């Protein structure tokens, strides 16, 4: 039987920390039970592990008692790091004993799964350097600033690389659990657990949930001026070459500094501004997709649809039907008829 360690943080907890811990225990318990009905042995023995004998969570409102200290866990197969709470202003916030234990277990062959902001803890150990990682879209800016060596893939719901798994934010940790059950058990068990927990299986992206606001905490005043110009003129045809000349940059230097500061090329940044404006109009107005397309500066319907799908993961019409109340009600009535 494999060993599953669910890490209980000493501090930096929030409501989602508790949900991640309880959700993990629930999901893998269901998977073990279902495996038993198939005449198979449970895959995991689960233990809540930590540094302290008791951990106060959510400002002392709840208390969890780890079943074992990390110092007693010599070998584990899978470690779950739940979402954390609070602000992350420096890299060195993780207790060195926890950091050393995570690095040591990974070196021995353990796999590690981070839920939402739990990725900050793993990134602080340097185990995520050079690897893909997803976090909640609201955390992307601060995460990128603290850990530029990590390949942030904010559009992805789940990343899977070299025995390290991460996922986006909120309650999408449930999607990660279903994904892990599929890997450690089998597809049949994953489908069963998805039905019991009522979690959509095979969801790949969190892009349609993300709200683009632009990375501004980078200290490059000239790039910030370029961002502000784009934000006020995204509906016009903006030439990146002319903008770089206006700011007295060569195009290659401008692109390099813009990418370093924001994580996007100037063209990508402009696209995201246009699509974010289109999303808001699709959510809240009765305007057609074509009307909104023209308003945000596109004249080619095919190009608009392709960029919209690339950024959000779905088409403009599907987005409108999903998030616009009037459109959803009309679609429901048409289906009923």
């Amino acid at each position: 039987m494999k060993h599953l360690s669910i890490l209980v943080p000493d501090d930096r907890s929030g409501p989602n920390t508790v949900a991640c811990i309880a959700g993990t225990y629930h999901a893998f318990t269901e998977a073990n039970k279902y495996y038993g009905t198939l005449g198979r042995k449970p895959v995991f023995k689960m233990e809540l592990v930590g540094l302290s004998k008791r951990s106060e969570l959510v400002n002392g409102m709840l208390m969890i008692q780890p079943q074992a200290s990390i110092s007693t866990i010599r070998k584990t197969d899978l470690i779950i790091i739940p979402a954390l709470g609070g602000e992350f202003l420096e890299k060195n916030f993780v207790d060195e004993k926890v950091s050393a234990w995570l690095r040591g277990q990974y070196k021995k062959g353990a796999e590690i799964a981070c839920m939402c902001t739990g990725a900050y803890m793993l990134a602080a150990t340097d185990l995520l350097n050079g690897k893909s990682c997803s976090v909640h879209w609201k955390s992307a800016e601060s995460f990128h600033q603290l850990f530029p060596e990590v390949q942030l893939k904010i559009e992805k719901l789940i990343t899977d690389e070299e025995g390290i798994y991460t996922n986006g934010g909120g309650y999408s940790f449930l999607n990660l659990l279903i994904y892990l059950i599929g890997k450690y058990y089998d597809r049949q068990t994953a489908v069963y657990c998805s039905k019991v927990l009522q979690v959509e299986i095979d969801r790949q992206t969190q892009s349609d949930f993300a709200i683009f606001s632009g990375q501004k905490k980078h200290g490059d005043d000239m790039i910030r001026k370029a961002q502000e110009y784009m934000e006020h003129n995204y509906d016009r045809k903006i030439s990146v070459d002319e903008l770089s000349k206006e700011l007295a940059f060569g195009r290659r230097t401008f692109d390099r500094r813009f990418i370093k500061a924001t994580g996007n090329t100037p063209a990508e940044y402009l696209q995201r501004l246009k699509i974010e404006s289109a999303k808001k109009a699709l959510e809240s107005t009765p305007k057609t997709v074509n009307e909104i397309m023209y308003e945000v500066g596109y004249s080619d319907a095919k190009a608009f649809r392709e960029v919209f799908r690339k950024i959000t993961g779905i088409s403009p019409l599907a987005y409108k039907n999903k998030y616009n109340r009037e459109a959803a009600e009309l679609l429901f009535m048409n289906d009923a008829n």
Side-chain angles (χ1 to χ4, degrees), residues 276-286 292 295 320 324:
E276 189 60 36
S277 179
K279 285 165 57 182
K280 291 175 182 175
L282 289 167
E283 292 165 12
S284 59
T285 73
I292 292 169
E295 285 184 359
K320 183 180 181 68
N324 187 296

Side-chain angles (χ1 to χ4, degrees), residues 80-188:
I80 300 290
I81 302 176
L84 305 177
E87 296 292 325
F88 300 91
L89 304 176
E90 57 183 23
K91 292 183 179 181
N92 302 320
F93 70 90
V94 181
D95 188 288
E96 181 52 38
K97 291 180 181 178
V98 175
S99 185
W101 182 75
L102 289 169
R103 287 194 296 265
Q105 291 297 329
Y106 183 68
K107 188 175 181 180
K108 291 178 184 178
E111 296 195 325
I112 304 175
C114 305
M115 295 172 166
C116 190
T117 47
Y120 281 87
M121 177 180 285
L122 192 60
T125 69
D126 295 331
L127 288 175
L128 273 173
N129 285 358
K131 297 183 180 68
S132 300
C133 173
S134 182
V135 294
H136 196 290
W137 55 265
K138 286 183 69 176
S139 302
E141 185 174 345
S142 69
F143 190 94
H144 177 70
Q145 287 294 302
L146 280 178
F147 306 109
E149 304 88 354
V150 179
Q151 303 298 313
L152 197 57
K153 304 290 184 181
I154 200 62
E155 73 283 358
K156 289 187 174 293
L157 187 73
I158 295 169
T159 66
D160 174 351
E161 188 172 349
E162 297 180 23
I164 288 179
Y165 310 89
T166 68
N167 85 284
Y171 282 77
S172 66
F173 72 84
L174 293 167
N175 298 94
L176 175 60
L177 292 173
I178 298 300
Y179 181 83
L180 292 171
I181 288 169
K183 294 203 73 168
Y184 277 94
Y185 295 76
D186 54 29
R187 174 73 178 183
Q188 183 180 348

Side-chain angles (χ1 to χ4, degrees), residues 201-238:
I201 198 167
D202 295 333
R203 195 176 135 218
Q204 301 293 323
T205 179
Q206 63 172 342
S207 297
D208 60 317
F209 292 108
I211 300 174
F212 182 70
S213 58
Q215 155 73 293
K216 296 283 183 62
K217 297 178 182 178
H218 47 65
D220 191 325
D221 291 339
M222 294 302 286
I223 296 302
R224 188 177 291 108
K225 285 183 180 179
Q227 289 175 269
E228 290 171 354
Y229 179 83
M230 290 181 180
E231 287 165 7
H232 288 100
N233 298 279
Y234 64 83
D235 55 338
R236 295 168 49 197
K237 187 173 181 179
I238 296 176

Side-chain angles (χ1 to χ4, degrees), residues 320-321 324-336:
K320 183 180 181 68
N321 290 336
N324 187 296
R325 181 178 176 180
E326 291 182 5
E329 288 175 349
L330 181 60
L331 186 65
F332 176 79
M333 287 189 292
N334 288 338
D335 288 344

